[in-house]
Amino acid sequence: MELSPTAHVILGMLSWGPKSGYDVKAIVDNSTRFFWAASYGQIYPELRKLAEAGLIEAEAGPEGGRRRTVYRLSPTGHERLREWLSAEPETYELRDDGLLRLFFAAAAPDTAAGTLASKRHYHEGLVEQFREIEATGKPEGFALAVLHYGIEMNEWAAAWCARAAADLESATRAA
Amino acid sequence: MELSPTAHVILGMLSWGPKSGYDVKAIVDNSTRFFWAASYGQIYPELRKLAEAGLIEAEAGPEGGRRRTVYRLSPTGHERLREWLSAEPETYELRDDGLLRLFFAAAAPDTAAGTLASKRHYHEGLVEQFREIEATGKPEGFALAVLHYGIEMNEWAAAWCARAAADLESATRAA
DNA sequence: GAAGTCATGTAAACGGTTACATGATTTT
DNA sequence: AAAATCATGTAACCGTTTACATGACTTC
C-alpha cells in the first residue's frame, strides 16, 4: 500500500508515543504546520486506514473519562516509517503571494514598498512565534534543529525584505 | 467578481504585453513557478472568465499561420491589477518534505545525514537553474529582484544543510 | 513523411480545507 | 448554568495536477 503524506506525519507523531487523532492535530498545529499542514478531514480517515493496514493499533479504551481512541505504532508501522525516512524527499513547494506581487510590481511601482513591508512583517511574526516555541524548552534533537531552521530562515527573509526596501528607496530617491 | 490567484498571475503577465495562454504558461514555467505555479487546466478557463468579465480582451485573429488567441489587458483589468498589488499578501505556504523527514529523524537517526544531503543538493540545483536564468539577462527590475531572492534564499538553505550535517557528524563522532 | 513543437482545451482524479454536526466533560 | 474545550467524524467544496484529445504548422 502506498502511503499518503499525511500517513507519514501520523506515523512520525506516533513514533514519539501513543496519541489520539486530536493529539496529532494539536501537535501538527504548532510544529509541522509551518512546513507540512494536516487537517481533521485528513487525519481521522487516515488513522482508520492505517489501523486497517496494521501499521498502527488502537489502544484499549480509557477507564472512564472522555471517549478517545489512542493509537500506537505497530512494529510494521515503525518499519514503514524507517523506510520512508531512508528515502529521498519528494516535495518542495512554495506559494508566496508577496513574492508574486513584487514580481509584477512594475505595473504599479508605488506598491512595492508596501508589499516588502508586509512580507517583512510576516516573517518577523513567524520568528517571534518560533522563539516562543523555543522558549518552552519542549523541542529537542532533530525537531529543535528544524525549529532553528525556521527561525533562521525567516530572519533571513525579513532581512532580505529590509535590504530590498532600502535599495528601492535609494533608487527612487535617485530618480 | 472575486479574482482567483491564477487570475492575478494572468493579469500580471499581460501587463508585460499581449500574450496567448500558451505564452503565459511558458513564462510561468520558468519564472513564477518557483513560488506560484499554474497549469493549463487553470489558465485556459481563467482566460475565458477574465475575457467575459472584461478585464482582458482577445486581440484580432492572426493573419494566416497558426491559430492562437492573444489577449491584452483592458483598462479595467489594469485597474484590478493595481488594486491587487496595493493590497496585503495573503498566502505564504511551504511544503518541505525534507524538513518533515528531518523532523521525525529520531525514529531512525542514521537517515538524517542522507536527508540533509538530499535537501542540500536540491537547493544547490535550484541555485544553478536560477543562475542560468540570470545569465540570459532577460529578467529586469522587480522580476530580477525576485530572482535574486530565489538565488540567495536557496544558497542560504543549502548552507544551512551543510552546517547541520557538519554538526550532526561531530555530534555522532563524539558519541 | 516523420518528428517536433505550437496551441487550445477538457475530464478525471487528488489532496486538502472548511464548515458543520454531535456530544461528553471540565472549568468558570 | 454557561462557556470552554476535548474529541470524533463527515460532506461539500476548491484549487490544482495529470492525462488525454485534437490538430495545425514547422523542421529535419
Side-chain angles (χ1 to χ4, degrees):
Chain A
M1 189 192 56
E2 183 78 16
L3 294 183
S4 71
T6 307
H8 293 123
V9 174
I10 291 175
L11 294 182
M13 290 288 172
L14 295 192
S15 79
W16 294 352
K19 275 162 193 50
S20 69
Y22 192 83
D23 293 338
V24 169
K25 169 69 169 155
I27 300 176
V28 162
D29 276 353
N30 56 74
S31 61
T32 68
R33 158 165 82 96
F34 301 102
F35 51 91
W36 208 282
S39 61
Y40 285 128
Q42 301 168 262
I43 291 169
Y44 283 113
E46 197 60 51
L47 282 168
R48 288 254 167 126
K49 283 182 218 160
L50 288 172
E52 275 167 37
L55 303 191
I56 63 176
E57 285 154 16
E59 276 197 351
E63 357 56 64
R66 279 200 181 87
R67 162 202 171 212
R68 64 199 302 262
T69 318
V70 174
Y71 296 89
R72 66 183 137 66
L73 214 52
S74 76
T76 336
H78 198 278
E79 188 41 42
R80 287 301 288 271
L81 175 60
R82 165 170 259 298
E83 274 169 36
W84 175 70
L85 288 172
S86 310
E88 293 233 332
E90 286 165 15
T91 307
Y92 181 88
E93 275 165 39
L94 180 63
R95 301 220 128 213
D96 187 335
D97 200 351
L99 238 33
L100 188 65
R101 286 172 211 243
L102 193 60
F103 187 76
F104 290 128
D110 56 303
T111 63
T115 300
L116 280 171
S118 294
K119 183 168 162 64
R120 178 181 175 181
H121 185 250
Y122 175 78
H123 290 294
E124 285 170 347
L126 281 183
V127 170
E128 244 180 83
Q129 274 185 71
F130 293 164
R131 288 229 181 272
E132 277 165 32
I133 294 170
E134 191 190 20
T136 65
K138 276 186 203 163
E140 37 175 87
F142 292 106
L144 183 60
V146 171
L147 180 60
H148 286 153
Y149 180 96
I151 291 173
E152 290 164 40
M153 126 92 159
N154 283 287
E155 280 175 344
W156 178 89
W160 186 90
C161 292
R163 231 188 318 136
D167 291 354
L168 179 64
E169 215 209 344
S170 64
T172 312
R173 212 188 328 249
Chain B
M1 190 193 52
E2 182 79 18
L3 294 183
S4 70
T6 307
H8 292 123
V9 174
I10 292 175
L11 294 182
M13 290 288 172
L14 296 191
S15 79
W16 293 353
K19 275 161 193 52
S20 68
Y22 192 84
D23 293 338
V24 169
K25 169 67 170 156
I27 300 175
V28 161
D29 276 353
N30 55 76
S31 62
T32 67
R33 158 166 81 97
F34 301 102
F35 50 91
W36 208 282
S39 60
Y40 286 127
Q42 300 167 261
I43 292 170
Y44 284 113
E46 196 61 50
L47 282 168
R48 289 251 165 129
K49 283 183 216 159
L50 288 171
E52 276 167 36
L55 303 191
I56 64 177
E57 286 153 16
E59 276 195 352
E63 356 55 65
R66 280 200 182 84
R67 162 202 171 213
R68 63 199 302 259
T69 319
V70 173
Y71 296 90
R72 66 182 136 66
L73 214 54
S74 76
T76 337
H78 199 278
E79 188 41 44
R80 287 300 289 272
L81 176 60
R82 164 171 260 299
E83 275 168 35
W84 175 69
L85 289 172
S86 309
E88 294 232 331
E90 286 165 14
T91 305
Y92 181 88
E93 274 165 39
L94 180 64
R95 303 219 128 214
D96 186 335
D97 200 351
L99 237 34
L100 188 64
R101 284 172 213 241
L102 192 61
F103 187 76
F104 289 129
D110 55 304
T111 63
T115 300
L116 281 171
S118 295
K119 184 169 162 60
R120 179 182 174 181
H121 185 250
Y122 176 78
H123 290 294
E124 285 170 346
L126 282 182
V127 170
E128 243 178 87
Q129 274 185 70
F130 293 164
R131 289 231 181 270
E132 277 166 33
I133 295 170
E134 191 190 21
T136 66
K138 276 185 201 162
E140 37 175 86
F142 292 106
L144 183 59
V146 171
L147 180 60
H148 287 153
Y149 179 96
I151 291 172
E152 290 165 39
M153 129 89 160
N154 283 287
E155 280 175 344
W156 178 89
W160 187 90
C161 292
R163 231 190 316 137
D167 290 355
L168 179 64
E169 216 210 343
S170 63
T172 310
R173 216 193 319 254

